[in-house]
Amino acid sequence: TGVYCISLLYGTAPFFLYPENNPTGQTVFFLVITGLATGGITSLCSSWPAVSVFISLTLLPLAIKMLAMNTQQSLIIGFLILIFWVLTLFGARRLNLNVLHNIDLRIQSVEREKVLKTSEERYRHIFKTAPLGIFQYDTESRIIDCNEAFLSMLNTTRETLLGMNIFATVKDRGILDAVQKSLSSGSGYFEGDYTSVLSLK
């Protein structure tokens, strides 16, 4: 509502404040009105109805004033203002769409972050409380984390296990093949008994 009231106030200016016989004053007047119209784009671009009404109510009354004066010079100025109005609306619309797109991307990003955080929290809970031994390793096959069940299975400490290179330590071919496949394709699978040939205490 405030935007529309201000727009109407600016729109009445050409009919009450236009300096009829002062060329310098007219130039300043044109600069002020066009400056107000373009300046409103930045602050109002997130709302297309608001920015379009603001630009129209600020520029169109001035164009009407110039056309109504019906002189050669005023008609030219009036048509130039109309062209400027169309171009300003076009630019405002493009900016409005870009802003809305960025806002939409930001909302989607926040939603994805929430889902990811929830997923990570669930994973950490399962990782810590699972009765099965679970460990994580990096792309160089070094163990970077494990749960308590895994430490209990190997009867070792976290300090001893973290940083251990699986390929340099484990001798079971089935396990090594599963790890290698997981590193190369993103998924690896091993099921069966295995024996630790090194003391990890």
Side-chain angles (χ1 to χ4, degrees), residues 147-167:
N147 64 355
E148 293 299 323
F150 190 68
L151 295 174
S152 178
M153 287 170 55
L154 298 180
N155 192 26
T156 188
T157 63
R158 186 178 301 274
E159 291 74 18
T160 301
L161 196 60
L162 297 187
M164 185 189 82
N165 189 300
I166 298 173
F167 287 119

Side-chain angles (χ1 to χ4, degrees), residues 180-195:
Q180 182 62 54
K181 187 175 181 181
S182 72
L183 291 174
S184 60
S185 66
S187 62
Y189 178 79
F190 172 80
E191 182 177 358
D193 298 329
Y194 65 93
T195 302

Side-chain angles (χ1 to χ4, degrees), residues 41-60:
I41 296 175
T42 304
S43 58
L44 301 173
C45 62
S46 60
S47 171
W48 172 243
V51 72
S52 60
V53 169
F54 180 83
I55 293 172
S56 298
L57 290 181
T58 302
L59 292 177
L60 287 181

Side-chain angles (χ1 to χ4, degrees), residues 35-152:
L36 288 172
T38 54
I41 296 175
T42 304
S43 58
L44 301 173
C45 62
S46 60
S47 171
W48 172 243
V51 72
S52 60
V53 169
F54 180 83
I55 293 172
S56 298
L57 290 181
T58 302
L59 292 177
L60 287 181
L62 182 58
I64 294 171
K65 170 73 175 180
M66 293 296 99
L67 295 174
M69 290 174 65
N70 203 27
T71 65
Q72 182 178 4
Q73 182 179 5
S74 68
L75 289 174
I76 293 174
I77 294 174
F79 282 116
L80 289 176
I81 293 173
L82 288 176
I83 294 172
F84 179 73
W85 168 66
V86 173
L87 294 176
T88 305
L89 277 181
F90 179 75
R93 183 55 174 168
R94 291 190 62 182
L95 185 58
N96 168 257
L97 292 175
N98 287 336
V99 169
L100 294 180
H101 180 65
N102 289 333
I103 291 174
D104 187 54
L105 289 178
R106 179 57 182 165
I107 292 173
Q108 292 179 21
S109 175
V110 170
E111 292 299 322
R112 284 195 296 268
E113 288 176 3
K114 289 180 180 178
V115 172
L116 181 60
K117 184 178 180 181
T118 301
S119 178
E120 288 177 348
E121 289 175 350
R122 289 176 180 172
Y123 169 76
R124 296 309 304 178
H125 177 73
I126 294 172
F127 182 81
K128 291 179 180 180
T129 61
L132 303 175
I134 304 173
F135 67 97
Q136 298 174 333
Y137 50 92
D138 60 19
T139 56
E140 297 181 357
S141 75
R142 290 191 301 260
I143 295 177
I144 58 175
D145 200 4
C146 64
N147 64 355
E148 293 299 323
F150 190 68
L151 295 174
S152 178

